[in-house]
Amino acid sequence: MSAAARQALLEHLRYLHELGIDAVRLPAAPAGRAPAAAPGSLPSHREEPGEGHGPLGAGADALAAVRQELGDCTRCRLSAGRTQIVFGVGDPQADLLFVGEGPGQEEDRQGEPFVGRAGQLLDKMIASIGLRRDQVYIANIVKCRPPQNRNPQPDEIAACSPFLMGQIEAIRPRVIVALGKFAASTLLGEEIAITRARGRVRAWQGIPLMPTFHPAYLLRQYTRENRQAVYDDLLAVRDLLQKSGPA
């Protein structure tokens, strides 16, 4: 093992330790073939122009069009209390999309989703399957912070969700992770209980969708069982990505 591969493996194990995971399930290599990357890592599907979902830049242009349509949005009451719109962040041609509920105080201040304590935990969750924050895309159901971080109301979700749908259509990810009850319920079009729905792969317009616990929930209920459950969900997501292969 090269020094770089050894360092990558150590970093991966460190992230798992911080998540509270002390057992690792590695993907099986095809018979007679050694793994090409460090354990837990995922292949890059779009290293060359023309690979993946389309020409490089196509996702960025489509996302820019969605953001332009959103504009300086005043479609619901949340606009009155925001500092700025929190649209989304990451690779516009990402294979993996994470969808949360809505911005918190720090996200409202910085204009980027998942940058507070929950965001730090999400970064560790992403790293636990061999990816970085800049290799995925992260968005929320609502783009403005609800007052006192309350739950978004149905009319607020209805006003904002078309822009999330536009983001998904622009990015065309291979897998979606719904973080928490509101993200999963909105994307699946039905009221769900996340404790029962998590870990069961569903679909959004043919795209595999994995509901799992929101990082903020993990911070409140940071039990060994919950940490292991989320890690198991992420391993299933990793398997889905590896099975899908290059488009």
PDB file of all heavy atoms in Angstrom, residues 77-78 100-102 141-142 144 146-147 149-157 182-183 186:
ATOM      1  N   ARG A  77     -44.068  33.337   3.780  1.00  0.00           N
ATOM      2  CA  ARG A  77     -43.755  34.210   4.919  1.00  0.00           C
ATOM      3  C   ARG A  77     -42.316  34.082   5.407  1.00  0.00           C
ATOM      4  O   ARG A  77     -41.821  34.969   6.102  1.00  0.00           O
ATOM      5  CB  ARG A  77     -44.726  33.918   6.067  1.00  0.00           C
ATOM      6  CG  ARG A  77     -44.529  32.533   6.705  1.00  0.00           C
ATOM      7  CD  ARG A  77     -45.502  32.283   7.837  1.00  0.00           C
ATOM      8  NE  ARG A  77     -46.831  32.059   7.353  1.00  0.00           N
ATOM      9  CZ  ARG A  77     -47.299  30.860   7.007  1.00  0.00           C
ATOM     10  NH1 ARG A  77     -46.511  29.785   7.082  1.00  0.00           N
ATOM     11  NH2 ARG A  77     -48.514  30.710   6.568  1.00  0.00           N
ATOM     12  N   LEU A  78     -41.632  32.993   5.058  1.00  0.00           N
ATOM     13  CA  LEU A  78     -40.267  32.819   5.542  1.00  0.00           C
ATOM     14  C   LEU A  78     -39.330  33.901   5.018  1.00  0.00           C
ATOM     15  O   LEU A  78     -38.312  34.203   5.641  1.00  0.00           O
ATOM     16  CB  LEU A  78     -39.735  31.436   5.140  1.00  0.00           C
ATOM     17  CG  LEU A  78     -40.406  30.223   5.785  1.00  0.00           C
ATOM     18  CD1 LEU A  78     -39.738  28.941   5.315  1.00  0.00           C
ATOM     19  CD2 LEU A  78     -40.374  30.323   7.298  1.00  0.00           C
ATOM     20  N   GLY A 100     -32.012  18.128   3.006  1.00  0.00           N
ATOM     21  CA  GLY A 100     -32.399  18.350   4.388  1.00  0.00           C
ATOM     22  C   GLY A 100     -33.704  19.108   4.488  1.00  0.00           C
ATOM     23  O   GLY A 100     -34.468  19.212   3.525  1.00  0.00           O
ATOM     24  N   GLU A 101     -33.938  19.654   5.653  1.00  0.00           N
ATOM     25  CA  GLU A 101     -35.218  20.301   5.957  1.00  0.00           C
ATOM     26  C   GLU A 101     -35.202  21.782   5.614  1.00  0.00           C
ATOM     27  O   GLU A 101     -35.995  22.266   4.805  1.00  0.00           O
ATOM     28  CB  GLU A 101     -35.519  20.091   7.437  1.00  0.00           C
ATOM     29  CG  GLU A 101     -36.783  20.720   7.942  1.00  0.00           C
ATOM     30  CD  GLU A 101     -36.994  20.411   9.416  1.00  0.00           C
ATOM     31  OE1 GLU A 101     -36.745  19.266   9.844  1.00  0.00           O
ATOM     32  OE2 GLU A 101     -37.408  21.331  10.150  1.00  0.00           O
ATOM     33  N   GLY A 102     -34.299  22.540   6.239  1.00  0.00           N
ATOM     34  CA  GLY A 102     -34.219  23.976   6.006  1.00  0.00           C
ATOM     35  C   GLY A 102     -33.015  24.562   6.706  1.00  0.00           C
ATOM     36  O   GLY A 102     -32.398  23.911   7.546  1.00  0.00           O
ATOM     37  N   ILE A 141     -35.315  21.423   1.665  1.00  0.00           N
ATOM     38  CA  ILE A 141     -36.687  21.555   1.194  1.00  0.00           C
ATOM     39  C   ILE A 141     -37.068  23.029   1.072  1.00  0.00           C
ATOM     40  O   ILE A 141     -37.584  23.475   0.053  1.00  0.00           O
ATOM     41  CB  ILE A 141     -37.659  20.830   2.144  1.00  0.00           C
ATOM     42  CG1 ILE A 141     -37.399  19.312   2.145  1.00  0.00           C
ATOM     43  CG2 ILE A 141     -39.105  21.125   1.762  1.00  0.00           C
ATOM     44  CD1 ILE A 141     -37.669  18.635   0.835  1.00  0.00           C
ATOM     45  N   VAL A 142     -36.836  23.813   2.139  1.00  0.00           N
ATOM     46  CA  VAL A 142     -37.098  25.247   2.093  1.00  0.00           C
ATOM     47  C   VAL A 142     -35.769  25.988   2.091  1.00  0.00           C
ATOM     48  O   VAL A 142     -34.792  25.538   2.683  1.00  0.00           O
ATOM     49  CB  VAL A 142     -37.989  25.728   3.263  1.00  0.00           C
ATOM     50  CG1 VAL A 142     -39.372  25.099   3.158  1.00  0.00           C
ATOM     51  CG2 VAL A 142     -37.364  25.427   4.618  1.00  0.00           C
ATOM     52  N   CYS A 144     -35.275  29.295   3.007  1.00  0.00           N
ATOM     53  CA  CYS A 144     -35.169  30.360   3.996  1.00  0.00           C
ATOM     54  C   CYS A 144     -35.350  29.764   5.393  1.00  0.00           C
ATOM     55  O   CYS A 144     -36.096  28.796   5.575  1.00  0.00           O
ATOM     56  CB  CYS A 144     -36.222  31.448   3.767  1.00  0.00           C
ATOM     57  SG  CYS A 144     -36.100  32.267   2.169  1.00  0.00           S
ATOM     58  N   PRO A 146     -36.742  28.975   8.868  1.00  0.00           N
ATOM     59  CA  PRO A 146     -37.954  29.156   9.668  1.00  0.00           C
ATOM     60  C   PRO A 146     -37.615  29.824  11.000  1.00  0.00           C
ATOM     61  O   PRO A 146     -36.553  29.559  11.576  1.00  0.00           O
ATOM     62  CB  PRO A 146     -38.449  27.716   9.889  1.00  0.00           C
ATOM     63  CG  PRO A 146     -37.814  26.919   8.793  1.00  0.00           C
ATOM     64  CD  PRO A 146     -36.482  27.562   8.574  1.00  0.00           C
ATOM     65  N   PRO A 147     -38.485  30.698  11.505  1.00  0.00           N
ATOM     66  CA  PRO A 147     -38.203  31.393  12.776  1.00  0.00           C
ATOM     67  C   PRO A 147     -37.952  30.406  13.913  1.00  0.00           C
ATOM     68  O   PRO A 147     -38.658  29.411  14.064  1.00  0.00           O
ATOM     69  CB  PRO A 147     -39.486  32.199  13.017  1.00  0.00           C
ATOM     70  CG  PRO A 147     -40.122  32.332  11.676  1.00  0.00           C
ATOM     71  CD  PRO A 147     -39.764  31.086  10.920  1.00  0.00           C
ATOM     72  N   ASN A 149     -35.996  28.196  14.151  1.00  0.00           N
ATOM     73  CA  ASN A 149     -35.749  26.842  13.632  1.00  0.00           C
ATOM     74  C   ASN A 149     -36.963  25.926  13.796  1.00  0.00           C
ATOM     75  O   ASN A 149     -36.816  24.701  13.915  1.00  0.00           O
ATOM     76  CB  ASN A 149     -34.520  26.204  14.298  1.00  0.00           C
ATOM     77  CG  ASN A 149     -33.239  26.917  13.912  1.00  0.00           C
ATOM     78  OD1 ASN A 149     -33.195  27.648  12.942  1.00  0.00           O
ATOM     79  ND2 ASN A 149     -32.192  26.697  14.690  1.00  0.00           N
ATOM     80  N   ARG A 150     -38.159  26.498  13.774  1.00  0.00           N
ATOM     81  CA  ARG A 150     -39.359  25.661  13.846  1.00  0.00           C
ATOM     82  C   ARG A 150     -39.489  24.827  12.579  1.00  0.00           C
ATOM     83  O   ARG A 150     -38.803  25.052  11.580  1.00  0.00           O
ATOM     84  CB  ARG A 150     -40.605  26.537  14.020  1.00  0.00           C
ATOM     85  CG  ARG A 150     -40.902  27.444  12.833  1.00  0.00           C
ATOM     86  CD  ARG A 150     -42.351  27.904  12.877  1.00  0.00           C
ATOM     87  NE  ARG A 150     -42.659  28.941  11.911  1.00  0.00           N
ATOM     88  CZ  ARG A 150     -42.810  28.755  10.600  1.00  0.00           C
ATOM     89  NH1 ARG A 150     -42.655  27.551  10.078  1.00  0.00           N
ATOM     90  NH2 ARG A 150     -43.109  29.763   9.801  1.00  0.00           N
ATOM     91  N   ASN A 151     -40.383  23.849  12.611  1.00  0.00           N
ATOM     92  CA  ASN A 151     -40.622  23.029  11.438  1.00  0.00           C
ATOM     93  C   ASN A 151     -41.265  23.868  10.323  1.00  0.00           C
ATOM     94  O   ASN A 151     -42.095  24.740  10.594  1.00  0.00           O
ATOM     95  CB  ASN A 151     -41.555  21.862  11.772  1.00  0.00           C
ATOM     96  CG  ASN A 151     -40.937  20.884  12.743  1.00  0.00           C
ATOM     97  OD1 ASN A 151     -39.726  20.713  12.784  1.00  0.00           O
ATOM     98  ND2 ASN A 151     -41.779  20.242  13.531  1.00  0.00           N
ATOM     99  N   PRO A 152     -40.891  23.632   9.074  1.00  0.00           N
ATOM    100  CA  PRO A 152     -41.556  24.336   7.974  1.00  0.00           C
ATOM    101  C   PRO A 152     -43.010  23.924   7.873  1.00  0.00           C
ATOM    102  O   PRO A 152     -43.360  22.763   8.092  1.00  0.00           O
ATOM    103  CB  PRO A 152     -40.759  23.907   6.748  1.00  0.00           C
ATOM    104  CG  PRO A 152     -40.089  22.631   7.130  1.00  0.00           C
ATOM    105  CD  PRO A 152     -39.842  22.714   8.599  1.00  0.00           C
ATOM    106  N   GLN A 153     -43.862  24.898   7.542  1.00  0.00           N
ATOM    107  CA  GLN A 153     -45.289  24.651   7.433  1.00  0.00           C
ATOM    108  C   GLN A 153     -45.645  24.153   6.023  1.00  0.00           C
ATOM    109  O   GLN A 153     -44.902  24.387   5.066  1.00  0.00           O
ATOM    110  CB  GLN A 153     -46.060  25.928   7.745  1.00  0.00           C
ATOM    111  CG  GLN A 153     -45.816  26.455   9.153  1.00  0.00           C
ATOM    112  CD  GLN A 153     -46.224  25.460  10.221  1.00  0.00           C
ATOM    113  OE1 GLN A 153     -47.369  25.001  10.252  1.00  0.00           O
ATOM    114  NE2 GLN A 153     -45.282  25.097  11.089  1.00  0.00           N
ATOM    115  N   PRO A 154     -46.786  23.461   5.887  1.00  0.00           N
ATOM    116  CA  PRO A 154     -47.139  22.892   4.576  1.00  0.00           C
ATOM    117  C   PRO A 154     -47.167  23.914   3.448  1.00  0.00           C
ATOM    118  O   PRO A 154     -46.717  23.608   2.331  1.00  0.00           O
ATOM    119  CB  PRO A 154     -48.529  22.293   4.825  1.00  0.00           C
ATOM    120  CG  PRO A 154     -48.526  21.944   6.281  1.00  0.00           C
ATOM    121  CD  PRO A 154     -47.726  23.030   6.946  1.00  0.00           C
ATOM    122  N   ASP A 155     -47.677  25.127   3.703  1.00  0.00           N
ATOM    123  CA  ASP A 155     -47.729  26.115   2.626  1.00  0.00           C
ATOM    124  C   ASP A 155     -46.341  26.617   2.253  1.00  0.00           C
ATOM    125  O   ASP A 155     -46.084  26.951   1.091  1.00  0.00           O
ATOM    126  CB  ASP A 155     -48.633  27.287   3.008  1.00  0.00           C
ATOM    127  CG  ASP A 155     -48.161  28.023   4.241  1.00  0.00           C
ATOM    128  OD1 ASP A 155     -47.723  27.360   5.205  1.00  0.00           O
ATOM    129  OD2 ASP A 155     -48.229  29.267   4.260  1.00  0.00           O
ATOM    130  N   GLU A 156     -45.433  26.645   3.228  1.00  0.00           N
ATOM    131  CA  GLU A 156     -44.057  27.050   2.957  1.00  0.00           C
ATOM    132  C   GLU A 156     -43.348  25.985   2.126  1.00  0.00           C
ATOM    133  O   GLU A 156     -42.609  26.304   1.177  1.00  0.00           O
ATOM    134  CB  GLU A 156     -43.322  27.293   4.282  1.00  0.00           C
ATOM    135  CG  GLU A 156     -43.917  28.432   5.097  1.00  0.00           C
ATOM    136  CD  GLU A 156     -43.522  28.408   6.555  1.00  0.00           C
ATOM    137  OE1 GLU A 156     -42.878  27.433   7.005  1.00  0.00           O
ATOM    138  OE2 GLU A 156     -43.886  29.363   7.275  1.00  0.00           O
ATOM    139  N   ILE A 157     -43.577  24.729   2.464  1.00  0.00           N
ATOM    140  CA  ILE A 157     -43.003  23.624   1.691  1.00  0.00           C
ATOM    141  C   ILE A 157     -43.554  23.638   0.274  1.00  0.00           C
ATOM    142  O   ILE A 157     -42.808  23.480  -0.703  1.00  0.00           O
ATOM    143  CB  ILE A 157     -43.287  22.280   2.383  1.00  0.00           C
ATOM    144  CG1 ILE A 157     -42.553  22.196   3.724  1.00  0.00           C
ATOM    145  CG2 ILE A 157     -42.893  21.114   1.481  1.00  0.00           C
ATOM    146  CD1 ILE A 157     -42.906  20.984   4.554  1.00  0.00           C
ATOM    147  N   PHE A 182     -39.103  15.535   7.177  1.00  0.00           N
ATOM    148  CA  PHE A 182     -39.683  16.495   6.250  1.00  0.00           C
ATOM    149  C   PHE A 182     -39.138  16.309   4.841  1.00  0.00           C
ATOM    150  O   PHE A 182     -39.891  16.404   3.859  1.00  0.00           O
ATOM    151  CB  PHE A 182     -39.450  17.927   6.746  1.00  0.00           C
ATOM    152  CG  PHE A 182     -40.345  18.296   7.888  1.00  0.00           C
ATOM    153  CD1 PHE A 182     -39.914  18.121   9.192  1.00  0.00           C
ATOM    154  CD2 PHE A 182     -41.611  18.789   7.659  1.00  0.00           C
ATOM    155  CE1 PHE A 182     -40.747  18.438  10.254  1.00  0.00           C
ATOM    156  CE2 PHE A 182     -42.459  19.116   8.713  1.00  0.00           C
ATOM    157  CZ  PHE A 182     -42.017  18.935  10.025  1.00  0.00           C
ATOM    158  N   ALA A 183     -37.846  16.048   4.722  1.00  0.00           N
ATOM    159  CA  ALA A 183     -37.275  15.815   3.397  1.00  0.00           C
ATOM    160  C   ALA A 183     -37.866  14.556   2.782  1.00  0.00           C
ATOM    161  O   ALA A 183     -38.268  14.545   1.611  1.00  0.00           O
ATOM    162  CB  ALA A 183     -35.755  15.713   3.487  1.00  0.00           C
ATOM    163  N   THR A 186     -41.660  15.041   1.892  1.00  0.00           N
ATOM    164  CA  THR A 186     -41.862  15.913   0.738  1.00  0.00           C
ATOM    165  C   THR A 186     -41.508  15.190  -0.551  1.00  0.00           C
ATOM    166  O   THR A 186     -42.263  15.230  -1.534  1.00  0.00           O
ATOM    167  CB  THR A 186     -41.011  17.189   0.876  1.00  0.00           C
ATOM    168  OG1 THR A 186     -41.427  17.911   2.048  1.00  0.00           O
ATOM    169  CG2 THR A 186     -41.168  18.087  -0.342  1.00  0.00           C
TER     170      THR A 186
END
